[in-house]
Amino acid sequence: MIFYDLINRQRAHFSPNSWRTRMALAHKGIQPEIRDLLFGEIGNIRPGGDKLTIPTIEDKGRFITDSWNIAQYLDEAYPQTPRLIATGAEGQVLRFFQHWVQTTVHAGIARLIMLDLYNSLAPSDQAYFRTSREKQYKMTLEEIQGGREERLDAFRKSLQPMRLSLALGPFISGEQPGYADYLAFGGFQWARTSSAYSVLVADDVVYAWFERCLDLYDGLGRREAAAHA
Amino acid sequence: MIFYDLINRQRAHFSPNSWRTRMALAHKGIQPEIRDLLFGEIGNIRPGGDKLTIPTIEDKGRFITDSWNIAQYLDEAYPQTPRLIATGAEGQVLRFFQHWVQTTVHAGIARLIMLDLYNSLAPSDQAYFRTSREKQYKMTLEEIQGGREERLDAFRKSLQPMRLSLALGPFISGEQPGYADYLAFGGFQWARTSSAYSVLVADDVVYAWFERCLDLYDGLGRREAAAHA
């Protein structure tokens, strides 16, 4: 299996959606070969085909793209490994959790680190990144991140439902980590690898949970270089 | 089975946590006998015992209180009926959904309708309600609801992860309603039975979903009297 993943200028893997998949693969005991890419090289994964996005895996002659599709594919193609997404209603509630991560964790962190993220990228990726994000937000990167101190408290408060779950057990999924944990982990690992800004405080149960996640699978997450100021 | 539930001055059942349980019982095809109570009568459910809360059910000689405990009890005591809460990680993700409902739906709606809710209660319950809520919020009921127009847009925006799920299917749980739907339904039914204030707009997929939920089980939710202005 080949895993196509983005790297920044210090060659750290930073994509939040990729981290979901990297943790999911570790959960299943699958060790893919990693192919490092810049944003500008995504088009080379499969020349001439439809545009793929990151993460993409190549397995048994097929390309599978999008973290949710990949998780479903892994459950089907490797049925002897621990399942990530339940069938039926339970899988749909997990999908809601992904939507919560997207609208609360990712969107919140984006407004705290966007300019740092830009600065962490390889120089050849920066023009593309600035243009695409400024078009999406209808603001400059400087404006997206600007005034982050005033948004920090609201971001931390928005994690309250996660905090209530972490009061019941070490992981969102209970005693053992599951795909919900990897979904949320991706967002915080994106912040850790892209910015030295502290999005969490050390006495928060979410911080302690993130530290536990960094230690999973022989420190798979922790081995990735954190951004430095 | 006896179901102890709160009523307001127009004898409508309004408790959000009770609505979770009422829908869960209907999901399982169980029809309890309903015993209507005022806040001031909760202590009479089981004189001399520990204080119970609403919802409480009495079944096979036992009292079970708290909507989550009741759902777990029903799954165990009635194993031949459709399950509400999966075991393991999936049940924990559903619990997260409950935390999201509590911190986002209930907390948001509370700041939109608290004074209307007070006015909808039986006069003999109002002094207790005012004292307990004002202590909890450290504000008067008038201040809790005051300025609600300025919070309405943020409340509606906070439902965005639900909206993304409802873009994929008619219910949060997928093609058929599940306990996640009943958890969220409770909050909106609380608003509908306690206040004429429109917390949702008619062109929102969340509004359409709520209408679908009101129709479930022969209109169980819709038969309950809505508050009028």
Side-chain angles (χ1 to χ4, degrees), chain B:
Chain B
M1 188 185 299
I2 300 169
F3 186 114
Y4 295 93
D5 202 0
L6 288 167
I7 51 168
N8 63 21
R9 73 196 305 164
Q10 61 172 342
R11 302 194 67 80
H13 299 97
F14 64 94
S15 159
N17 297 350
S18 285
W19 275 103
R20 301 169 176 178
T21 305
R22 290 171 79 90
M23 298 296 274
L25 285 163
H27 184 92
K28 286 181 174 290
I30 299 170
Q31 293 194 303
E33 177 194 335
I34 311 286
R35 295 265 175 92
D36 292 340
L37 298 171
L38 299 177
F39 277 110
E41 297 169 330
I42 295 174
N44 304 339
I45 297 175
R46 184 178 56 177
D50 292 340
K51 186 74 157 44
L52 299 168
T53 55
I54 296 297
T56 285
I57 64 167
E58 185 178 348
D59 191 39
K60 303 176 184 178
R62 288 179 58 188
F63 289 90
I64 303 103
T65 200
D66 176 85
S67 59
W68 188 265
N69 286 343
I70 293 171
Q72 288 186 314
Y73 167 81
L74 294 173
D75 280 341
E76 283 160 31
Y78 298 88
Q80 76 285 12
T81 62
R83 203 170 176 86
L84 298 164
I85 304 174
T87 54
E90 288 77 21
Q92 294 306 310
V93 177
L94 186 60
R95 191 77 188 258
F96 171 89
F97 188 81
Q98 178 172 310
H99 295 146
W100 180 79
V101 166
Q102 176 187 334
T103 57
T104 305
V105 180
H106 288 202
I109 289 176
R111 295 294 314 271
L112 299 175
I113 66 158
M114 189 62 85
L115 187 62
D116 296 345
L117 175 55
Y118 167 83
N119 287 322
S120 76
L121 295 178
S124 63
D125 271 348
Q126 290 183 322
Y128 156 77
F129 184 85
R130 180 178 283 279
T131 305
S132 62
R133 270 47 175 186
E134 294 189 344
K135 188 176 169 189
Q136 179 190 342
Y137 281 85
K138 300 179 179 68
M139 283 187 272
T140 66
L141 295 180
E142 289 73 10
E143 287 166 341
I144 296 168
Q145 183 173 305
R148 61 182 171 183
E149 293 300 334
E150 288 142 49
R151 284 187 301 275
L152 186 57
D153 189 51
F155 170 70
R156 290 174 179 166
K157 278 207 176 77
S158 76
L159 305 175
Q160 190 59 15
M162 223 176 122
R163 228 164 258 132
L164 295 177
S165 285
L166 292 171
L168 303 175
F171 294 102
I172 300 161
S173 305
E175 290 301 315
Q176 301 296 328
Y179 197 60
D181 294 278
Y182 310 146
L183 287 166
F185 173 77
F188 294 99
Q189 178 75 328
W190 178 45
R192 174 180 170 274
T193 54
S194 304
S195 169
Y197 191 65
S198 296
V199 301
L200 295 172
V201 284
D203 65 354
D204 187 346
V205 292
V206 179
Y207 182 95
W209 159 86
F210 181 57
E211 290 291 311
R212 275 193 291 282
C213 289
L214 286 170
D215 288 334
L216 291 171
Y217 311 118
D218 300 318
L220 177 65
R222 201 180 290 284
R223 284 200 302 273
E224 204 71 35
H228 37 76

Side-chain angles (χ1 to χ4, degrees), chain A residues 192-206:
Chain A
R192 175 180 170 273
T193 53
S194 305
S195 170
Y197 192 65
S198 296
V199 300
L200 296 170
V201 283
D203 66 353
D204 187 346
V205 290
V206 179

Side-chain angles (χ1 to χ4, degrees), chain A residues 177-198:
Chain A
Y179 197 61
D181 293 278
Y182 309 146
L183 286 167
F185 174 77
F188 294 99
Q189 178 75 330
W190 178 44
R192 175 180 170 273
T193 53
S194 305
S195 170
Y197 192 65
S198 296

Side-chain angles (χ1 to χ4, degrees), chain A:
Chain A
M1 188 185 299
I2 300 170
F3 185 115
Y4 295 92
D5 202 0
L6 288 167
I7 51 168
N8 62 20
R9 73 198 305 164
Q10 60 172 342
R11 304 193 67 81
H13 299 98
F14 64 94
S15 159
N17 297 350
S18 284
W19 274 103
R20 301 170 174 177
T21 304
R22 291 172 77 90
M23 298 296 272
L25 285 164
H27 184 91
K28 286 181 175 289
I30 299 170
Q31 293 195 303
E33 177 194 334
I34 311 287
R35 294 265 175 92
D36 292 341
L37 297 170
L38 299 178
F39 277 111
E41 297 169 329
I42 295 175
N44 304 339
I45 296 176
R46 185 177 55 176
D50 293 341
K51 185 72 157 45
L52 299 168
T53 54
I54 296 297
T56 285
I57 64 165
E58 185 179 348
D59 191 40
K60 303 176 186 180
R62 288 180 57 189
F63 288 91
I64 303 102
T65 199
D66 176 84
S67 59
W68 188 266
N69 286 342
I70 293 171
Q72 288 186 313
Y73 167 81
L74 294 173
D75 280 343
E76 285 160 30
Y78 297 89
Q80 76 285 12
T81 61
R83 203 170 176 86
L84 297 165
I85 304 174
T87 55
E90 288 77 20
Q92 295 306 310
V93 178
L94 186 60
R95 191 77 188 257
F96 171 88
F97 188 81
Q98 177 173 309
H99 296 146
W100 180 79
V101 166
Q102 176 187 332
T103 58
T104 306
V105 180
H106 287 202
I109 288 176
R111 296 292 315 271
L112 299 176
I113 67 159
M114 189 61 85
L115 187 63
D116 296 344
L117 175 55
Y118 168 82
N119 287 323
S120 77
L121 295 179
S124 63
D125 270 348
Q126 289 183 323
Y128 156 77
F129 184 85
R130 180 179 282 278
T131 304
S132 63
R133 269 46 176 187
E134 292 188 347
K135 188 176 168 189
Q136 180 189 342
Y137 280 86
K138 300 179 179 66
M139 283 188 271
T140 65
L141 296 179
E142 288 74 9
E143 286 165 342
I144 296 168
Q145 183 173 305
R148 63 182 170 184
E149 292 301 334
E150 287 141 51
R151 284 188 300 276
L152 186 58
D153 189 51
F155 169 70
R156 289 172 178 167
K157 277 205 177 77
S158 76
L159 306 175
Q160 190 58 15
M162 222 176 123
R163 226 164 260 132
L164 295 176
S165 284
L166 292 171
L168 303 175
F171 294 101
I172 300 161
S173 307
E175 290 301 315
Q176 301 296 327
Y179 197 61
D181 293 278
Y182 309 146
L183 286 167
F185 174 77
F188 294 99
Q189 178 75 330
W190 178 44
R192 175 180 170 273
T193 53
S194 305
S195 170
Y197 192 65
S198 296
V199 300
L200 296 170
V201 283
D203 66 353
D204 187 346
V205 290
V206 179
Y207 182 95
W209 160 86
F210 182 56
E211 290 291 312
R212 276 194 290 282
C213 289
L214 286 171
D215 287 334
L216 291 171
Y217 310 117
D218 301 318
L220 176 66
R222 201 181 291 283
R223 285 200 302 272
E224 204 70 36
H228 37 76

